[in-house]
């Protein structure tokens, strides 16, 4: 790029969350003057949130790493790329030669799905590591949704997306799109879209233990006891079947298992689940009837139902509700996208159970083990023990259950390398940190989020800034490291034509060979459309789109039916209270926060302290606690301190802490975040409590006690 002068405008998509907001960045020469929503972006229509403005802070952040760092006895030192690659490869090879290939583990974090280079080329590095000890943020997030999609529709990425723009009835379980901006539902400007449902006479209903921003906007909000959603969903399906309200329509032609359903849900009358869910039986009956009667309706669930003990069953029942009411694959229901680059078709359907974790024996899914076993795989001695780690864009110390134990585990490793832009709670344990370019320095195309969006669309964003001299893109880091690890094997030969393809070349190929390629969609075409192109509303895709061998939906997969025994067992056990842990902990997301890594932007953390414990005033009164005071929160695994914030928007008996905080650990080099450290909810969460069906972490519903800080 040549030096640019005068006023000009750069258009791109924000890559921070899943919403795909178009940005209009006003420039003066090489300086950013303002970041605004791009009104001409047909998908986002001008919406942005405060995080987009902070993209410039990340770009300019003096704490952001720009060159490889090596940890020495005397502190961290900057080193050259070649030296760094040599040292990393030599150490990983040494450990694998001594202890076997599984002695190296790898953890992939969330920003990888927001990054084109990672989406296209991170697998090269993962393959070159040749380890079965692979972990990612998937198993602390949406694994139950992928697992369910695999069993019911034949492919882990064939996720039904709520057709919010056409629905008459939107039933939301455990999601707060007004704070999160939508997830597995890419829908920039979700508030406008929800209000539009109401304006056209439809209804929005939210099920959540807290009256969130989204619940406040809804027509109806049902408080539910944490982690009891599976019961409510069972009772909804029960009522619809019992009252003869099921009308799957054309879906019946290619759905197996409609007859097997009744037997499973028969015991779950609204009266039976009313106690444990805290929702009156009449309300459940009325909700079921309303949902079944709506001209179109869609049930959708996210983190609040994914990260609990019955995450798999909850997402299964959500799909079941949509299917038996005929709302799958029809406008206004839950639909499948037609992405311009079809990574579903090209991607892996999702095998499972090919290997198990060494210590606890948990099964892999799609090549990955549950993140909840990572610490024990490092700490348990013996054959197959993890002795070295590679982390890529992940901060598992703050984001996985019992993060303190993982913190200790990482400190005990023989070797660790982190590909990351910050020196944080996780990467401080690395021997070498390799920092890639990020955000405004990268070109962008949302390979994943176009697959999850409420309208079909495509948009390419060029890089705004040239990388600093000597900086590397992450895909370049993966390529070089893979080559050094590969001992010159064919596929990784740098002269091999496949290995000379840049992300842009791959993108162009994907667009030309995708469903709109014949109509002329290509990278060149997208380069002439800086606001992106609209490819229309979602279309019915079934049964052709199914990836099951017989092209039929499995309404009652065997594994789901088996897991129902666990529901019976858990809820007949009755009391949740143990050892005086008399409150139930849930999480929350905040608009100005993005998991663990954006607290170093002053504009996002200034003002009132946000890492607080929310509690109902009655619970505080019973414990003699007052708003603003520091309290101690204890669970089976740990104890943290936080300021107390009282609110009637949370159910009595329930307390809430946002995740991603706790920046006061020694060695962290995030100057702003350290001044707003907060404490980590995952110092309390329990790595032994999982959704046993899928292996996903069950953060929600943790028994805790809260007392005066002494
Ligand atoms: N208790 C509780 N825990 C949770 C959740 C919860 O709701 N409650 N939510 C879970 C969910 S949904 C998720 S997705 C996980 C997230 O878990 P993680 O992915 O492990 O954590 P992040 O906070 O996203 O950390 C991202 C890391 O990537 C780095 N990074 C940022 N941009 C780039 C880049 O461009 N390149 C590279 N190489 N690195 C980059 C950051 O510095 C940071 O170290 O947390 C989970 N943990
Ligand atoms: N601002 C911001 N946006 C983000 C992120 C962020 O950290 N900050 N993270 C991004 C990521 S990685 C993800 S995965 C998405 C997640 O997107 P969402 O799932 O929309 O995120 P949350 O706000 O965590 O919503 C979960 C809701 O579940 C509720 N809940 C808790 N327990 C239960 C329960 O037992 N039952 C029910 N029914 N509800 C319950 C919580 O009160 C909360 O309102 O957000 C993404 N967007
Ligand atoms: S909602 Fe998400 S995509 Fe949109 S501006 Fe905010 S962080 Fe970026
Ligand atoms: Mo996530």
């Amino acid at each position: 790029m040549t030096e640019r002068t005068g006023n000009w405008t750069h258009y791109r998509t924000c890559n921070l969350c899943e919403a795909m907001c178009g940005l209009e960045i006003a420039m003066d020469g090489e300086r950013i003057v303002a970041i605004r929503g791009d009104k001409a972006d047909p998908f986002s229509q001008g919406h942005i949130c405060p995080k987009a403005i902070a993209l410039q802070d990340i770009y300019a952040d003096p704490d952001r790493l720009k060159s490889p760092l090596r940890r020495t006895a005397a502190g961290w030192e900057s080193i050259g790329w070649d030296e760094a690659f040599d040292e990393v490869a030599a150490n990983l090879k040494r450990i694998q030669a001594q202890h076997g290939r599984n002695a190296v583990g790898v953890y992939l974090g969330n920003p990888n799905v927001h990054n084109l280079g990672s989406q296209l080329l991170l697998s090269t590095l993962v393959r070159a590591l040749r380890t079965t000890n692979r972990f990612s943020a998937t198993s602390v997030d949406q694994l139950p949704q992928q697992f369910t999609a695999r069993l019911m529709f034949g492919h882990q990425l064939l996720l039904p997306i709520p057709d919010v723009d056409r629905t008459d009835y939107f039933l939301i379980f455990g999601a707060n799109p007004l704070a999160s901006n939508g997830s597995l539902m890419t829908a920039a400007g979700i508030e406008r879209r929800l209000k539009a449902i109401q304006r056209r006479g439809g209804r929005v209903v939210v099920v959540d233990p807290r009256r969130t921003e989204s619940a406040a906007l809804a027509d109806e909000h049902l408080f539910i006891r944490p982690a009891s959603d599976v019961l409510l969903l069972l009772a909804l399906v029960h009522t619809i079947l019992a009252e003869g309200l099921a009308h799957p329509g054309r879906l019946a032609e290619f759905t197996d298992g409609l007859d097997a359903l009744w037997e499973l849900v028969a015991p779950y009358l609204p009266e039976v689940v009313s106690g444990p869910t805290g929702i009156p039986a009449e309300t459940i009956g009325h909700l079921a009837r309303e949902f079944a009667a709506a001209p179109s309706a869609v049930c959708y669930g996210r983190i609040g139902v994914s990260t609990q003990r019955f995450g798999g069953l909850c997402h299964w029942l959500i799909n079941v509700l949509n299917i038996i009411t005929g709302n799958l694959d029809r406008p206004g229901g839950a639909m499948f996208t037609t992405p311009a680059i079809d990574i579903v078709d090209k991607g892996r359907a999702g095998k499972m159970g090919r290997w198990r974790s060494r210590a606890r024996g948990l099964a892999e899914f799609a090549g990955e083990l549950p993140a909840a076993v990572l610490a024990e795989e490092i700490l348990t001695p013996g054959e197959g023990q993890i002795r070295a780690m590679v982390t890529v864009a992940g901060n598992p110390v703050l984001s996985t259950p019992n993060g303190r134990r993982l913190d200790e585990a990482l400190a005990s490793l023989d070797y660790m390398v982190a590909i990351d832009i910050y020196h944080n709670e996780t990467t401080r344990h690395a021997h070498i940190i390799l920092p890639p370019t990020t955000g405004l320095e990268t070109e962008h195309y949302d390979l994943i989020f176009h697959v999850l969006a409420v309208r079909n669309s495509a948009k390419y964003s060029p890089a705004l800034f040239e990388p600093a001299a000597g900086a590397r893109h992450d895909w370049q880091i993966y390529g070089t490291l893979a080559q050094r690890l590969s001992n010159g094997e064919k596929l990784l030969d740098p002269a091999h034509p496949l290995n000379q393809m840049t992300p842009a070349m791959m993108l162009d190929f994907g667009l030309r060979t995708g469903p709109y390629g014949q109509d002329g969609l290509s990278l060149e075409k997208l380069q002439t459309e800086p606001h992106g192109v609209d490819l229309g509303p979602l279309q019915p895709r079934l049964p052709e789109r199914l990836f099951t061998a017989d092209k039929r939906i499995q309404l009652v997969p065997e594994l789901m039916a088996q897991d129902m025994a666990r529901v019976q067992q858990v809820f007949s056990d009755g009391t949740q209270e143990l050892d005086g842990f008399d409150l139930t902990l849930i999480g929350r997301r905040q608009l100005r926060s993005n998991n663990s890594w954006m607290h170093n932007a002053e504009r996002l953390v200034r003002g009132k302290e946000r890492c607080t414990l929310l509690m109902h005033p009655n619970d505080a009164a019973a414990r003699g606690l007052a708003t603003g005071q520091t309290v101690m929160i204890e669970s089976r695994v740990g104890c943290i301190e936080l300021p107390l914030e009282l609110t009637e928007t949370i159910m009595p008996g329930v307390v809430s802490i946002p995740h991603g905080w706790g920046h006061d650990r020694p060695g962290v080099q995030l100057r702003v975040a350290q001044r707003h450290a907060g404490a980590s909810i995952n110092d309390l969460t329990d790595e032994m409590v999982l959704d046993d069906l899928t292996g996903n972490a069950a953060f929600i519903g943790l028994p805790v006690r809260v007392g005066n800080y002494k």
Side-chain angles (χ1 to χ4, degrees):
M1 278 180 232
T2 48
E3 181 82 0
R4 294 159 295 197
T5 52
N7 294 326
W8 57 287
T9 312
H10 170 78
Y11 297 99
R12 69 186 293 107
T13 301
C14 174
N15 69 318
L16 293 170
C17 86
E18 302 178 33
M20 290 202 307
C21 296
L23 307 181
E24 178 187 280
I25 306 187
M27 300 290 296
D28 179 1
E30 294 296 319
R31 192 176 61 85
I32 294 175
V33 178
I35 299 182
R36 305 187 195 95
D38 177 6
K39 293 198 180 72
D41 181 309
F43 184 72
S44 65
Q45 299 178 21
H47 179 267
I48 53 165
C49 85
K51 289 186 293 300
I53 322 288
L55 274 169
Q56 59 193 304
D57 305 341
I58 298 168
Y59 175 69
D61 189 346
D63 289 335
R64 181 161 67 88
L65 307 178
K66 305 276 169 47
S67 63
L69 286 185
R70 172 164 58 204
R71 181 153 56 90
T72 71
W76 291 83
E77 65 181 16
S78 236
I79 57 172
W81 282 100
D82 261 337
E83 193 182 349
F85 284 128
D86 284 344
E87 195 171 310
V88 169
N91 277 289
L92 296 180
K93 281 178 164 177
R94 168 182 61 81
I95 288 166
Q96 285 188 320
Q98 270 174 14
H99 303 287
R101 52 196 177 87
N102 295 336
V104 173
V106 56
Y107 175 91
L108 312 178
N110 168 278
N112 288 307
V113 293
H114 298 271
N115 183 307
L116 178 64
S118 288
Q119 281 307 298
L120 290 171
L121 289 154
L122 181 50
S123 60
T124 322
L125 172 60
V126 175
R127 272 203 310 273
L129 292 170
R130 298 189 306 160
T131 175
T132 52
N133 276 318
R134 303 206 287 263
F135 305 86
S136 82
T138 292
S139 53
V140 290
D141 186 349
Q142 80 288 355
L143 174 55
Q145 280 168 276
Q146 290 181 214
F147 188 95
T148 304
R150 172 70 183 91
L151 295 187
M152 299 181 79
F153 311 127
H155 198 298
Q156 57 171 336
L157 293 180
L158 198 59
L159 299 166
I161 307 303
D163 186 14
V164 278
D165 292 344
R166 288 180 290 182
T167 197
D168 298 296
Y169 197 98
F170 194 20
L171 173 57
I172 302 176
F173 274 80
N176 184 10
L178 257 55
S180 69
N181 280 296
S183 180
L184 301 192
M185 173 184 69
T186 287
I190 186 67
E191 182 170 358
R192 165 178 60 80
R193 295 178 201 259
L194 294 179
K195 286 181 172 159
I197 297 176
Q198 297 170 319
R199 264 205 310 279
R200 52 180 189 265
R203 275 173 81 73
V204 178
V205 179
V206 172
V207 181
D208 198 304
R210 184 166 75 89
R211 192 182 316 119
T212 60
E213 298 83 341
S214 307
L217 175 151
D219 300 281
E220 190 173 352
H221 167 222
L222 306 180
F223 281 110
I224 187 165
R225 294 235 159 89
S228 68
D229 300 75
V230 66
L231 296 177
L232 173 59
L233 285 158
L234 283 164
L236 290 174
V237 174
H238 174 108
T239 307
I240 288 170
L241 296 185
E243 298 187 5
L245 304 175
H247 44 81
R250 64 182 267 276
L251 299 172
E253 292 163 24
F254 47 87
T255 300
D256 287 330
L258 281 160
D259 302 332
L261 194 57
W262 172 249
E263 201 186 321
L264 291 171
V265 303
Y268 297 96
L269 290 106
E271 296 74 27
V272 171
V273 307
S274 167
T277 57
I279 301 175
E282 313 78 76
T283 309
I284 299 173
H286 137 91
L287 186 63
R289 279 169 223 125
E290 230 180 46
F291 189 85
S296 71
V298 59
C299 181
Y300 156 82
R302 250 330 251 131
I303 285 293
V305 279
S306 218
T307 60
Q308 51 162 283
R309 291 183 76 170
F310 295 104
L313 286 184
C314 282
H315 283 293
W316 166 59
L317 289 163
I318 284 171
N319 288 341
V320 166
L321 258 185
N322 289 329
I323 292 169
I324 61 174
T325 54
N327 280 303
L328 185 77
D329 198 41
R330 81 162 179 207
M335 301 193 74
F336 299 103
T337 55
T338 309
I341 297 181
D342 194 353
I343 58 163
V344 184
D345 196 31
K346 296 193 177 67
R348 302 201 169 151
K351 295 203 169 109
M352 56 181 90
R354 290 164 296 172
W355 63 88
R356 289 183 172 267
S357 72
R358 195 174 49 106
R360 223 187 296 178
L362 298 187
E364 62 83 35
F365 178 82
E368 293 179 356
L369 291 168
V373 308
L374 176 53
E376 72 203 30
E377 290 302 319
I378 297 172
L379 293 170
T380 313
E383 178 85 31
Q385 180 181 8
I386 297 177
R387 291 160 195 272
M389 276 301 295
V390 180
T391 65
V392 186
N395 193 1
V397 166
L398 293 190
S399 58
T400 65
N402 200 350
R404 277 288 164 192
R405 184 153 184 250
L406 182 63
D407 212 347
E408 286 162 24
L410 295 179
S412 76
L413 288 169
D414 285 357
Y415 199 75
M416 175 169 158
V417 54
I419 302 179
D420 206 289
I421 56 172
Y422 281 122
H423 203 140
N424 63 19
E425 299 73 19
T426 294
T427 63
R428 73 199 167 109
H429 294 298
H431 293 77
I432 285 192
I433 306 178
L434 302 172
T437 58
T438 190
L440 300 176
E441 299 162 323
T442 62
E443 62 185 337
H444 190 66
Y445 181 94
D446 276 296
L447 273 177
I448 292 271
F449 298 109
H450 283 303
V451 176
L452 305 173
V454 299
R455 267 184 90 85
N456 293 316
S457 63
K459 182 169 163 182
Y460 171 78
S461 314
L464 170 55
F465 294 115
E466 216 167 331
R472 311 249 173 147
H473 293 302
D474 20 27
W475 57 274
Q476 295 171 318
I477 297 177
Y478 310 144
T480 310
L481 204 49
Q483 259 154 39
R484 306 235 177 164
L485 290 168
S486 72
N487 302 319
E489 282 151 42
K490 225 18 273 119
L491 195 73
L492 296 167
D493 177 353
H496 191 286
L498 263 181
N499 295 322
Q500 295 185 329
M501 277 184 85
T502 61
M505 290 156 79
M506 297 168 93
L507 205 54
D508 189 48
F509 178 78
L511 290 166
R512 286 176 193 275
T513 54
Y516 310 90
Q518 281 176 340
D519 309 330
L521 201 62
S522 65
L523 181 56
E524 204 181 324
K525 164 87 169 123
L526 286 185
Q527 281 168 329
T528 65
E529 302 273 5
H531 312 288
V533 294
D534 180 43
L535 299 168
L538 306 187
Q539 301 293 336
R541 304 283 326 261
L542 299 190
E544 291 74 23
R545 185 64 162 164
L546 293 169
F547 284 76
T548 43
D550 55 4
K551 293 256 178 229
R552 296 178 68 79
I553 297 172
Q554 288 303 316
L555 189 68
V556 186
E558 188 57 33
L559 289 175
M560 300 299 181
Q562 283 167 14
D563 202 36
M564 285 293 296
R566 208 162 49 93
V567 177
Q568 188 74 36
Q569 188 195 330
V570 165
F571 288 99
S572 61
D573 271 2
T575 156
Q576 293 213 330
E577 190 179 315
L578 73 143
D579 300 336
F581 293 130
D582 53 354
L583 292 163
T584 306
L585 180 63
I586 64 169
R588 69 182 188 273
R589 276 179 166 70
Q590 299 165 311
L591 188 61
R592 288 170 182 272
S593 184
N594 193 29
N595 297 326
S596 75
W597 67 276
M598 288 191 69
H599 300 146
N600 214 42
E602 189 73 57
R603 80 179 83 217
L604 295 182
V605 289
R606 72 174 154 234
K608 190 167 130 256
E609 205 63 53
R610 276 195 294 277
C611 188
T612 60
L613 180 80
L614 295 186
M615 184 187 264
H616 193 276
N618 296 356
D619 289 323
R623 288 165 183 76
L625 303 172
T627 210
Q629 83 175 86
T630 300
V631 292
M632 220 165 60
I633 308 114
E634 257 184 290
S635 73
R636 179 191 78 81
V637 310
C639 178
I640 61 173
E641 289 156 18
L642 280 176
L644 182 65
E645 188 179 340
L646 300 185
T647 170
E648 293 192 341
T649 61
I650 195 156
M651 261 179 117
V654 181
V655 288
S656 157
I657 301 174
H659 76 284
W661 300 85
H663 307 296
D664 52 355
R665 285 156 165 81
V668 170
Q669 293 180 26
L670 298 166
R671 278 165 283 188
V672 179
Q674 282 168 296
R675 286 202 305 275
H676 304 268
S680 176
I681 184 176
N682 287 323
D683 289 353
L684 297 173
T685 54
D686 193 333
E687 83 281 20
M688 299 306 289
V689 188
L690 304 180
D691 171 17
D692 294 334
L693 175 64
T694 65
N696 203 70
F699 299 118
I700 284 170
L702 184 78
V704 293
R705 64 172 161 246
V706 175
N708 261 310
Y709 171 66
K710 288 177 207 77

